[in-house]
Amino acid sequence: MATNDQENRLENIIGWVRTAKETLPSINDGQVTSDRISAMSALLDRLYQRAVGLRARLAAERDRRAA
């Protein structure tokens, strides 16, 4: 089971990935090719989905233990 510190870190990671995904087009400034931006965007999507999935599993585990 994850500690509170680990869960807090996971929440920070989710926030960072979400922010990176939202700001990716604006930080490009034409210096990175569109296919590279697309690949980075896909990677950020996968990271975000996995982190959110982990958060859901941790919450379900916590709920099971509390019941």
Side-chain angles (χ1 to χ4, degrees), residues 11-24 44 48 52 55:
E11 288 303 317
N12 286 338
I13 291 168
I14 289 171
W16 296 331
V17 172
R18 185 184 313 120
T19 299
K21 174 74 174 160
E22 291 169 355
T23 59
L24 188 60
L44 288 169
Y48 182 76
V52 169
R55 178 175 59 188

Side-chain angles (χ1 to χ4, degrees), residues 15 32 66:
V32 179

Side-chain angles (χ1 to χ4, degrees), residues 5-40:
D5 183 53
Q6 290 169 324
E7 289 186 25
N8 289 338
R9 283 199 245 160
L10 178 59
E11 288 303 317
N12 286 338
I13 291 168
I14 289 171
W16 296 331
V17 172
R18 185 184 313 120
T19 299
K21 174 74 174 160
E22 291 169 355
T23 59
L24 188 60
S26 63
I27 62 173
N28 180 23
D29 240 0
Q31 303 206 4
V32 179
T33 62
S34 60
D35 61 330
R36 182 74 115 187
I37 292 293
S38 179
M40 287 187 286

Side-chain angles (χ1 to χ4, degrees), residues 42-53:
L43 174 60
L44 288 169
D45 283 339
R46 287 193 307 273
L47 289 170
Y48 182 76
Q49 290 168 359
R50 291 203 176 192
V52 169

